[in-house]
Amino acid sequence: MLMIVAVCAAALNLQHTGDFMPDHTSTVAYTSPYSWLPQGWYSFAANIAANVAIAFMLLMINRTYRLMRSITWIFVGLFFFMQLAQPGVLGYFYGGSFMALVMLALTALLFSTYADPALTRSTYLLFFLLTLAALFRYNIIFFLPVFILGTMQMKTFGMRTLLASIMGIVTPLWILLGFGLLTVDMLHMPVFEPALPDTDTTARVTSLATTAFTGGLGLIFTCANLMKVMSYNSARRAFNGFLTLLFLTTIILIIADHTNYLLYIPLLNTIAAYQTGHFFATRRYRLSYIPVGIILIIYGTLAAIPALTP
């Protein structure tokens, strides 16, 4: 229900974020996802589909690998309200949506290798896809060390895993260069430009405030979940530990790559929604709906600001 409300609100708010460009064409080699579709309703529909896929991928990861002891849908609604509160982020299919999809797919692939170092093919595929996706969005390559550390958390790191990782990184470049689909001249460093237009002060303040609130909220609930996670079995601890590492890395990259921080917002919202949902799903107090409702009201208020401001 919350997802439907957020999608309808995003459609109504699209006219107020039409000039808010959350992505740039500067990439490592290939065209940015923002340029794949005509801007407008086509891009909006594709982005809504991508966000639904992100939410349900997180839901399926939780169910498949039992990240927590309870099954809940609460983080699906939280995720959509967090997305709605960022001007333009639900309005266009762009690099941030693409990156969140890629990161969740790679996370599921990483989790599938838990305690089985013999699954080198999965490790190879993981780094193959990561490198391939990085050709469309430069910021994906920053997560390469995170997934290498992830193999350690999954108890699969070793010489065979390291070789599979290296081969996975090299192979897509080798194939694309060999078939002429990629040339050395196409590879370049991205141009870092401001993520927010200077003329849209309301969007700037709203976006920065929402990012700070989501980052703080995610950190609070990550710390609050720590003792609960420590009581889990080794597999659940490893899975939740990787998500925590992914979340902290995302916050660091938002600060370090601040000129393009909007590219990291969907991933930030995904994990912050999970940590928030994790907290309330494992602590079913009688009045727990009150703080959840307050959080939703805050995000709803932030989402309404662009529409209410001339």
Side-chain angles (χ1 to χ4, degrees), residues 157-216:
F157 186 80
M159 184 56 66
R160 292 177 63 186
T161 302
L162 181 60
L163 290 175
S165 304
I166 294 173
M167 289 300 297
I169 294 169
V170 172
T171 303
L173 300 176
W174 185 10
I175 293 174
L176 292 172
L177 287 169
F179 280 96
L181 300 175
L182 181 67
T183 63
V184 176
D185 293 338
M186 293 172 62
L187 296 171
H188 56 81
M189 292 296 294
V191 178
F192 297 97
E193 302 170 356
L196 293 172
D198 294 332
T199 56
D200 199 340
T201 304
T202 301
R204 179 187 295 275
V205 173
T206 302
S207 182
L208 292 173
T210 304
T211 302
F213 179 71
T214 302

Side-chain angles (χ1 to χ4, degrees), residues 19-304:
D19 297 328
F20 192 88
M21 302 300 179
D23 199 359
H24 304 296
T25 57
S26 177
T27 60
V28 175
Y30 295 123
T31 305
S32 169
Y34 183 70
S35 304
W36 291 356
L37 294 168
Q39 299 312 306
W41 290 107
Y42 290 106
S43 184
F44 174 75
N47 196 45
I48 293 301
N51 278 265
V52 171
I54 291 168
F56 280 93
M57 283 174 68
L58 183 60
L59 187 67
M60 292 309 298
I61 289 173
N62 179 40
R63 288 189 172 184
T64 303
Y65 299 104
R66 299 186 179 276
L67 305 184
M68 62 180 82
R69 290 173 179 167
S70 301
I71 300 299
T72 180
W73 284 66
I74 188 172
F75 49 70
V76 174
L78 285 167
F79 167 72
F80 270 90
F81 265 71
M82 290 175 177
Q83 289 283 85
L84 177 65
Q86 281 282 356
V89 166
L90 270 184
Y92 305 96
F93 181 74
Y94 78 115
S97 304
F98 174 74
M99 188 181 77
L101 284 170
V102 170
M103 288 296 110
L104 284 180
L106 296 182
T107 297
L109 193 56
L110 177 69
F111 287 176
S112 71
T113 67
Y114 178 77
D116 193 350
L119 294 177
T120 52
R121 290 184 180 181
S122 296
T123 302
Y124 167 83
L125 180 61
L126 190 161
F127 287 95
F128 180 98
L129 294 175
L130 188 148
T131 303
L132 189 62
L135 296 174
F136 295 93
R137 278 285 19 137
Y138 71 88
N139 50 322
I140 292 177
I141 202 65
F142 297 153
F143 291 92
L144 177 61
V146 177
F147 282 94
I148 292 175
L149 291 173
T151 62
M152 298 179 185
Q153 288 181 300
M154 298 303 116
K155 303 179 182 179
T156 60
F157 186 80
M159 184 56 66
R160 292 177 63 186
T161 302
L162 181 60
L163 290 175
S165 304
I166 294 173
M167 289 300 297
I169 294 169
V170 172
T171 303
L173 300 176
W174 185 10
I175 293 174
L176 292 172
L177 287 169
F179 280 96
L181 300 175
L182 181 67
T183 63
V184 176
D185 293 338
M186 293 172 62
L187 296 171
H188 56 81
M189 292 296 294
V191 178
F192 297 97
E193 302 170 356
L196 293 172
D198 294 332
T199 56
D200 199 340
T201 304
T202 301
R204 179 187 295 275
V205 173
T206 302
S207 182
L208 292 173
T210 304
T211 302
F213 179 71
T214 302
L217 190 74
L219 285 173
I220 289 171
F221 284 113
T222 297
C223 294
N225 291 330
L226 185 60
M227 294 305 297
K228 182 69 70 174
V229 169
M230 292 301 293
S231 68
Y232 292 164
N233 60 32
S234 58
R236 283 176 175 163
R237 289 200 304 270
F239 298 151
N240 280 280
F242 178 76
L243 289 178
T244 299
L245 177 62
L246 195 60
F247 181 67
L248 295 176
T249 302
T250 303
I251 291 178
I252 292 171
L253 289 173
I254 286 174
I255 297 171
D257 188 19
H258 59 89
T259 57
N260 287 303
Y261 76 92
L262 286 174
L263 294 170
Y264 306 93
I265 293 302
L267 183 59
L268 177 79
N269 291 344
T270 300
I271 307 177
Y274 166 75
Q275 296 291 1
T276 306
H278 187 172
F279 179 85
F280 289 108
T282 54
R283 297 168 178 81
R284 298 182 181 275
Y285 302 124
R286 180 178 298 179
L287 300 178
S288 60
Y289 65 89
I290 294 178
V292 174
I294 292 173
I295 292 171
L296 293 175
I297 289 172
I298 292 173
Y299 279 110
T301 302
L302 290 168

